Amino acid sequence: MNSVARKICFVTGSRADFGLLVWPMRAIRETPGLTLQLIVTGMHLAPEFGYTFNAIRDEGFEADERVETLLASDTGAGVAKSVGLGVIGFADAFTRLQPDIVVVLGDRFEMFAAAQAAMFMRLPMAHLFGGDVTEGAVDESIRHAISKMSHLHFTSNRGSTQRLTQLGEDPSRIHTIGSVGIDAIKHLDLMDRDGIGRAVGMPLGEHNALVTFHPVTVEAGRSVAELDELFAALSTLDPAFRLIFTLANADAEGRALNDRTKAFAASRPNTIAVASLGQLRYLSLMSQVDLVIGNSSSGILEAPSFGIPTVDVGDRQRGRERAASVFHAASERGAIGAAISQALRRGRQATVNPYGDGDSSRRFADIIAGIPDFALLLKKGFYELPASGARP
């Protein structure tokens, strides 16, 4: 084993992936023989998305590098150009940092840019949440592409592990550790009901919902119409029902969705919209509401651990494994309203979460520390499934 501390470089581009990465980064920082590096990019550096760079500092981390990628655009062409800027910026950042391995999570275009730069620079890559399925978003293609560029995989469930072997990834390089996002639920000291009400700027009422709706990126032009259907369904709720929106991400059409969400929040009593809550406030709020509504992965990955029901709207998360507390609704006001009624009737109750037990980050760090030479990972072949098609 190398006596010099090996550099483990994480990339974070949004509030969503950072919330998932906090505990793996802490586990790496606490592991002898490893040193943490952090590159901050994307929405973290944009005031319109809450300038969540400050949240990174609040969690006790500092950026070793910043990579600016976002353009003031709400189109697919703008996102594509942002990827190009990211590849250039990450190439410079990796040159300065000289990491031993790069850690990327998920499926966003910032991660796609980082993965491309790392691949061409012959840097080993570890990928979290590969093999997941989200058929309603371009993220699906990005995630699988990143998996093929990566050399080590950490999946959230067994179904994802199987899909990676179907992509030709060697099972010996795939580790099913569960969702690292659940670790925060296990370890954080969450805020109480009054505290989270003060923190978000609106006291919680008798009934409350956490709502997030991101762009549906596979089909251009659908997102605004689907959001309007969600608004129509929410408008049928009693005005005393409190709604807390977190705004959409920086995908194409995200800015248009955010403008409409702010307008809806301003027009409806007991409704607010916030750019970003940060991990502690977000999970604290989730623990207190009656249900989660929208198309964010957090309603599928984290909400079941609280026993909170989720109404998953549309196709963005289609294909993910789901707990019994997750109710799917087509992007139509009647279907959404019916699913909300079902979720409220179910209420809060203990639920088996298929995404793990809250110890994923420690497993991740132990596996990373146990690899004797990251450079040996660079040489990888295509794993052929048995001719019969049987699982390995």
Side-chain angles (χ1 to χ4, degrees), residues 311-324:
V311 174
D312 175 53
V313 178
D315 293 337
R316 194 172 193 273
Q317 303 298 334
R318 188 175 65 192
R320 284 195 190 273
E321 190 171 353
R322 295 158 187 267

Side-chain angles (χ1 to χ4, degrees), residues 15 42-52 70-74 247-251 253-259 262 274-276:
R15 71 191 188 216
M43 290 188 287
H44 285 306
L45 305 177
E48 70 175 301
F49 295 103
Y51 193 69
T52 48
L70 289 185
L71 300 177
S73 170
D74 205 24
L247 296 181
N249 59 32
D251 287 331
E253 300 184 79
R255 291 173 175 85
L257 297 189
N258 287 341
D259 288 343
K262 291 173 187 175
V274 294
S276 177

Side-chain angles (χ1 to χ4, degrees), residues 81-353:
K81 292 177 182 179
S82 291
V83 172
L85 288 174
V87 173
I88 295 170
F90 283 113
D92 290 338
F94 291 147
T95 296
R96 288 188 287 268
L97 293 179
Q98 293 293 302
D100 292 291
I101 191 168
V102 175
V103 181
V104 292
L105 181 148
D107 45 37
R108 287 197 47 79
F109 62 83
E110 301 95 343
M111 298 297 159
F112 189 44
Q116 290 180 72
M119 177 184 67
F120 287 118
M121 296 176 71
R122 301 181 184 86
L123 295 173
M125 265 189 293
H127 186 206
L128 288 154
F129 288 92
D132 284 3
V133 178
T134 51
E135 297 175 10
V138 70
D139 302 358
E140 169 93 350
S141 299
I142 293 174
R143 187 186 310 108
H144 294 331
I146 293 174
S147 289
K148 292 307 300 179
M149 289 186 276
S150 298
H151 309 92
L152 200 60
H153 307 279
F154 297 89
T155 66
S156 63
N157 62 90
R158 289 189 176 90
S160 294
T161 295
Q162 174 61 20
R163 281 186 285 273
L164 285 177
T165 65
Q166 291 177 259
L167 286 172
E169 296 302 293
D170 188 332
S172 68
R173 294 176 179 234
I174 308 171
H175 304 275
T176 309
I177 62 170
S179 170
V180 292
I182 298 174
D183 294 26
I185 296 172
K186 180 174 182 178
H187 297 293
L188 279 177
D189 184 12
L190 299 179
M191 303 166 71
D192 63 18
R193 188 178 183 85
D194 291 338
I196 190 57
R198 289 192 297 271
V200 301
M202 181 176 70
L204 299 187
E206 183 178 357
H207 297 294
N208 311 273
L210 172 59
V211 189
T212 307
F213 193 85
H214 294 299
V216 184
T217 49
V218 167
E219 297 183 47
R222 277 183 52 187
S223 299
V224 169
E226 293 192 5
L227 180 62
D228 286 344
E229 289 295 304
L230 174 59
F231 289 155
L234 294 175
S235 295
T236 66
L237 295 173
D238 188 305
F241 202 117
R242 304 198 173 200
L243 304 177
I244 301 96
F245 283 83
T246 57
L247 296 181
N249 59 32
D251 287 331
E253 300 184 79
R255 291 173 175 85
L257 297 189
N258 287 341
D259 288 343
R260 295 179 87 81
T261 298
K262 291 173 187 175
F264 178 80
S267 70
R268 186 188 185 278
N270 296 312
T271 304
I272 59 172
V274 294
S276 177
L277 289 171
Q279 184 184 51
L280 176 60
R281 289 188 297 169
Y282 185 81
L283 291 177
S284 297
L285 179 60
M286 181 181 282
S287 73
Q288 296 292 336
V289 298
D290 297 277
L291 73 164
V292 175
I293 306 172
N295 62 5
S296 169
S297 62
S298 62
I300 294 174
L301 297 178
E302 282 90 55
S305 291
F306 291 114
I308 301 296
T310 294
V311 174
D312 175 53
V313 178
D315 293 337
R316 194 172 193 273
Q317 303 298 334
R318 188 175 65 192
R320 284 195 190 273
E321 190 171 353
R322 295 158 187 267
S325 58
V326 179
F327 298 83
H328 180 261
S331 301
E332 183 274 322
R333 63 191 69 185
I336 297 169
I340 289 174
S341 296
Q342 282 184 290
L344 290 173
R345 283 196 298 271
R346 175 187 170 90
R348 182 193 298 261
Q349 57 180 276
T351 305
V352 176
N353 191 333

